[in-house]
Amino acid sequence: ETDKFKPNHDLHGLIQTQTSSGTWGQFASGLLNGGFQFPRAGQHDDNAHPPITPVKAGDGLNGLEANLYELVVRRFLACCSRDALGHETVVKLDMSGETFTASGLMILERNY
């Protein structure tokens, strides 16, 4: 299965088709307005087709078709998004030969 996009693939055009969605349209618009990051290249490319992407709006889908379409769209939008950013703090304390460790993660940017 192909999991890398060619550099000339029109990802912005595919994202644009999702901006009319009431569910994820605002997120798609945010990608087009500066939140876009070209997806990381996977290790598989069969050169037969690009990775699976939504090529048009999924208006009129119901039931399992709608669920499958949503999965494809959300995964596509996620791969075009910036990674989440966080700050991790780790504290190690040695007390009488016993080591205690505590850690915490503060999310700075959720992104996708």
Side-chain angles (χ1 to χ4, degrees):
E1 188 65 30
T2 301
D3 60 4
K4 78 169 78 165
F5 290 97
K6 304 283 187 214
N8 61 347
H9 199 95
D10 183 17
L11 299 176
H12 285 86
L14 294 174
I15 295 169
Q16 180 66 45
T17 65
Q18 301 303 317
T19 58
S20 62
S21 169
T23 306
W24 50 75
Q26 185 174 0
F27 187 85
S29 293
L31 291 177
L32 295 174
N33 292 317
F36 176 81
Q37 179 175 308
F38 197 86
R40 282 189 214 106
Q43 298 182 359
H44 305 97
D45 188 354
D46 62 10
N47 290 310
H49 60 80
I52 296 171
T53 58
V55 294
K56 61 181 182 177
D59 302 332
L61 297 176
N62 295 304
L64 294 176
E65 290 176 341
N67 292 345
L68 178 59
Y69 182 79
E70 180 174 349
L71 176 71
V72 170
V73 172
R74 287 183 182 272
R75 186 198 176 282
F76 170 67
L77 294 177
C79 80
C80 294
S81 303
R82 293 186 198 143
D83 293 338
L85 294 177
H87 180 74
E88 183 178 28
T89 301
V90 178
V91 177
K92 291 185 179 183
L93 176 68
D94 187 294
M95 186 177 278
S96 300
E98 289 287 328
T99 302
F100 298 90
T101 305
S103 63
L105 177 65
M106 184 170 55
I107 304 298
L108 303 174
E109 291 182 34
R110 253 182 97 96
N111 295 323
Y112 204 94

